[in-house]
Amino acid sequence: MRGRNLIPALFAALAFAWPLAASATMAEIESDVVEATLDNGLTVLVLEDRRAPVVANMVWYRVGSADEHSGITGISHMLEHMMFRGSEQYEPGEFSRIVSRLGGRENAFTGRDYTGYFQVIGRDHWETVMAMEAERMRHLRLQEDEFQPERDVVAEERRLRVEDQPNSLLREQFMATAFLNHPYGQPVVGWMTDIQAYTVEDNQVWYDRFYHPNNAVVVVVGDVDAERVIAAAREHFGEIPAGDLPELKPRTETPQRGERRITVEAPAELPYLMMGWKAPVLNTLDDPADAYALLVAAGVLDSGEASRFAREIVRGEELAGATSARYSPFSRLDDLFLIAAVPTAATDVETLEAALLDQVERLKDEPVGAGELERVQARVIASEIYQRDSVRSQAFQLGMLETVGVGWQEGDRFVERVRAVTPEDVQRVAREYLVSERRTVGVLDPQPLDGADAPDPAAQPYGDGMGDL
Amino acid sequence: MMRGGLLAVLGLLLMLAIPAQAVEIEEWETDEGLRVLYVAAPDLPMVDLRLTFDGGASRDGDQSGLASLTSAALRHGTADLDADALAERFESVGAEFGTSSLRDMAIVSLRSLTEPDWMETALDTLASVLAEPAFPESDFERARRQALQGLQRERQDPGSVASRRFYELMYGDHPYANWPRGERETLEALQPGDAHDFYRRHYTSGNGALAITGGVDRATAETIAARISAALPQGSAVDPLPPVPVRDEPVEERIAFPSEQAHILIGTPTLRRGDEDHYALTLANHVFGGGGFTSRLFQEIRSQRGLAYSVSSRLQPMAVEGPFRIGMQTGVDQADDAVAALREQLVRWHADGVDADELDASRENVVNSFPLSLASNSDIVGLLGMMAFYDLPLDYLERYIERIQAVELEDLNERLRARIHPDAMVTVIVGGQE
């Protein structure tokens, strides 16, 4: 099923998949990124990979839901949709028709810190799509008759991804509870009434504010010559003037004063438990060690079938049917260290929560075993190689690191840094960050599905037809 | 013809200005009769193995959920390794071991680095899983409870509710009607011995095939294949599935659900692997709803009317007639309009066919995107596994583009009228009140 994607958060799994030659035998495939910055401030990153005659072409903008304020949440995502509905040179839908005839696959995604557009295409056509991306960087034509149906599409997207998915409903309200003034509390897709109240002008303002070469990163990975790509980028993007970018307000989260808890009631069969601790990221730390130690801590708890949650919570005590633990060092602002789980039929949520917290306490009380650390590191090394199987994944990671402000070079240090984490590091960060004053707990309380007590969707405040045809 | 290597296609692709590199599929059979397809991909120090067996949910018989539970139980360990130790062995060398089960096929996969010590540990562990999987009762009981919880998760998801009913209505008494996740009653009745027997009968060298790609040379690939083949139970191919009964009238069912959107599925059993109409129907469907952002359904239903985020149609050729299926989700208040709009598009497509411009655009996409489908080891091993499972000829990929090029407009529209039956489709709508 094709659709434009949302990336509400980076997963630890993604963070685990980052390149760098990790052992002597793998040194020969070390990445060789070529970087250029044009006079107008556009960053261009190129990685030659000639395994197959294909190219991933991406344009990333440093704008996402973290830039939004109350009332227009999700506008970055809405604008992403509008980027396919006509520019000065291409009528609505024409961009996609051209890409399709060239055999390209295209899509776009919006996250908290970025909005990205990409095509994967045969090696003879990357410059065609690059030129088209350059055109829509500054020549989008936002039109009312194109905007109206697309706003309805976005409302349907929200219904699909959030309203009818009980776990997503919990996640959304959980994040809004964890963060008071920090923008990661806002959903990437936007609140429903915000979506239904967007105007063409809102989109225009957003486009004019953020879609400039000095706020963008072009990433090309595949069967290309790097110098030719950079020359082409100069040709197609070089004439676009730099724009005035807004100064970002800090929006630093106000200090949390004690644990927070919420319950979400929704028609569902299964409860769902989420816990999150506010944690720093590479961007907000002076010393990267804490971020990588948190990453390893999440890996010890839950990465693969041999990790602690799988062994002890899912198989051993059988308290949960599914678990996850994730943390990503790669975001613009402070984020959460997240644990989530579905209790088994024989377990109540309180028991599961206590067992998960015991596991967190164990990280503080005793050093992680050497074997566990080696297992996590082995998975990182392997993922680094597996990652290279896809030009799109490689391009994604370069663009993501660059756009969130960490810098693509962090990729070259990733395995080294994971390998530098010691059992004491894990213990130290667990003690410092995984504490109750930083914790938010969310529980999905399932309500009957049979309709007897279920809310009438038409009675919801956003079911008033504003966004409907 | 991985990455376009086979000569006939090479010529064609060059004519179309599509670059191609030489990659060849090699094929052999092990001593025990396991068919092997192999493509050398020396650029990265990793290898992918994909075993496919005729042991998917269509083989459940009256034990619905058995294929799925058997697949999951392969992670429970061996005579010498319990579930923890098994996971530890794979993960300590960065290997990814996977098992899954679809309607047609059961899949066992392994991805490993080719670093010799690490690959040896991964292969040795895989071989021991295949040779002597243990089906310990306590693990089996847990897997059963997880499967039952899986059924609960489906019940809170309108899309799953719709899909389950859709297959029941499309396939009636045919094995494809069986829901792969099973039923509460049948899951509760399953015993570890059932999984053991299912494994011995279906996961055999004579009932499966092996795809290999990655940074191992032919000799090494042969050694790997021989080891895996020797580890597998010996046995012969299971009998072919029965034919799918032809549907001659429409059926529509509405299921109430406390959701904001209605999930709509429309379709009917249509196409099996190896059917010569595959090429014409693939192009026709690409125009209709299979071509992503440019398809008619996307344009008419999403872009013009804003009725859905996701709307598409898909042809899924299987061992016997797999479905042609239209799917969308829309706000419950406009579900009736949406169904009417889909039917209008369906009837128009069927009656009037596609036009020459549409065919050209779709054909160009299919032809020009071909190198993308062979661009990674993941892509390659997936295609090899599919070809091996469905016993497609080695020149299947080589001839694919040629056959797509050979489709003529009139023939396409004639095949579309002959094979798609808008007046005999199953419609399922889940969401809103009854």
Side-chain angles (χ1 to χ4, degrees), chain B residues 203-214:
Chain B
Y203 288 64
T204 70
S205 52
N207 194 44
L210 172 63
I212 305 177
T213 195

Side-chain angles (χ1 to χ4, degrees), chain A residues 118-237:
Chain A
F118 71 88
Q119 304 82 33
V120 180
I121 202 159
R123 70 175 168 201
D124 288 345
H125 303 301
W126 62 265
E127 191 171 353
T128 304
V129 290
M130 175 187 275
M132 289 163 62
E133 285 290 5
E135 198 266 345
R136 71 176 170 179
M137 176 178 280
R138 272 288 82 220
H139 298 287
L140 191 64
R141 281 188 67 210
L142 290 161
Q143 302 165 84
E144 189 68 35
D145 56 344
E146 294 292 326
F147 166 71
Q148 290 288 347
E150 198 64 31
R151 187 177 60 185
D152 295 340
V153 169
V154 170
E156 292 296 345
E157 182 176 0
R158 184 184 157 83
R159 291 186 181 109
L160 182 69
R161 293 183 186 279
V162 184
E163 310 292 354
D164 287 344
Q165 306 230 5
N167 292 1
S168 300
L169 281 174
L170 174 67
R171 190 174 302 116
E172 187 173 83
Q173 302 209 0
F174 170 86
M175 293 301 286
T177 304
F179 291 113
L180 296 181
N181 60 308
H182 174 299
Y184 291 175
Q186 300 166 169
V188 173
V189 72
W191 301 109
M192 188 58 106
T193 53
D194 289 355
I195 292 171
Q196 290 169 333
Y198 296 150
T199 64
V200 175
E201 290 69 33
D202 293 330
N203 285 270
Q204 190 71 52
V205 165
W206 214 245
Y207 180 70
D208 290 339
R209 191 175 295 167
F210 291 104
Y211 280 54
H212 298 289
N214 45 325
N215 200 38
V217 180
V218 168
V219 186
V220 178
V221 176
D223 190 357
V224 293
D225 175 79
E227 292 310 316
R228 269 207 60 212
V229 171
I230 288 167
R234 277 188 214 288
E235 182 185 338
H236 300 293
F237 291 95

